[in-house]
Amino acid sequence: MKKIDIEKLEKKETYQLPEHFFQDFEEKLNQKIQFSKTRKIPFWSYSVAASLVLLISIFFFMDREMFSATPPKSLVENQLKEISKSEEIKIKDENILLSNFEKKEDKIENNEIEKVSTYQTFSKEKKSPQKQISPSFVDLEVVDLEEEMLDNDVYLEIYD
Amino acid sequence: MPKVETEIISLISQIKTKEKGFNLLLKTYKVRLYWHIRRLVVQHEVAEDVLQNTFLKIYQNIEKFKHQSSLYTWIYRIATNEALQEIQKMKKNLSIDDEQMPDYLEGKVQNELKYTADEIQVFLEKAIQKLPEKQKLVFIMRYYDEMPYEKMSEILEMSVVTLKTNYHYAKNKVEQYILNNL
């Protein structure tokens, strides 16, 4: 059987190598080292960065506290809902008031046509202040109030 | 310790002469380290990158050299680690395992060799790449760099007996490969 002893072989570099590789390599490496030197972050920059982060976080927490002093969004929404509800009630009451007025008008028309005409003019004039009647009034109270107003009308008319 | 090493260390230890010391280190070891790396990774471009990273690491960490071993041993260990890390990266990028890697490197040998290379030299290089990683490392350090087992033991952190056994197995495998292909 054939035998081979590699230690008796001549040791040659058999791999290809570009010309002037080692010379070029030194230049390339020195360039890289110079580049890495210029890119080196100075020591004090870490402390500057840390203090900046601290400042930003302090401002962030202060902002949060300020926001928490104002009512939360949900509370504002609830208040708005309540306001709109009360507005609805107001409008309903106004409608009821108007309808009652109309009924009353019919009655008066049958009995005292002249008075009604004065009442009508008065009611037209007084429509806007009626809007200010509190929504808490119940319908009956509103009717009573109207009747009083009507009496007043009459009284005023007499007085005039 | 060789004279050059003493000179490099004394130059590097002073800030004013650090650059000069590093340039001397570069001139002294670049060729030896290049060939050590090249035999491990086969391709020239890869070897160049690894060599560059090795010297950059040396430059950045030269102050950490504690003189517990010779400067050459310390540098050689950095180069070996860089080359092995590069092989790991190659495996990951190519999605190949430890068993497939020798075949991959063996396939790369032919394109990297000189046209004038002897047939037996071609088979020798191919046979080296067919070896398992540890045996390849031991074989290259012993056969080409003619490094004493004690120094190898320092660099690879393996016992001298283990190194001798590994070299013996590696040498037999290489010779068998050449015989089978000649």
Side-chain angles (χ1 to χ4, degrees), chain B residues 59-75:
Chain B
Y59 183 82
Q60 286 158 356
N61 298 293
I62 196 78
E63 287 89 359
K64 291 174 192 168
F65 174 60
K66 288 168 187 167
H67 309 277
Q68 287 166 344
S69 59
S70 73
L71 183 65
Y72 181 60
T73 310
W74 184 69
I75 289 170

Side-chain angles (χ1 to χ4, degrees), chain A residues 2 4-7 10-18 21 26 28-29 32-33 37, chain B residues 19 27 30 34-35 38-39 48 52 59 112-114 118 120-121 125 139 143 146 167 175:
Chain A
K2 266 202 313 186
I4 192 164
D5 187 1
I6 53 166
E7 280 179 356
E10 191 191 350
K11 288 169 192 169
K12 289 193 276 189
E13 290 307 344
T14 46
Y15 284 111
Q16 294 174 40
L17 189 70
F21 166 69
E26 264 189 49
K28 270 188 205 173
L29 187 75
K32 262 208 166 180
I33 286 169
K37 266 188 195 171
Chain B
E19 299 290 319
K27 278 188 172 67
K30 65 181 177 189
Y34 171 81
W35 286 115
R38 180 78 188 268
R39 287 188 196 102
E48 188 183 352
Q52 212 169 66
Y59 183 82
E112 295 288 325
L113 292 176
K114 288 176 187 167
D118 300 337
I120 199 160
Q121 296 290 342
E125 294 300 338
F139 185 84
Y143 183 77
E146 296 174 347
Y167 180 71
E175 286 172 348

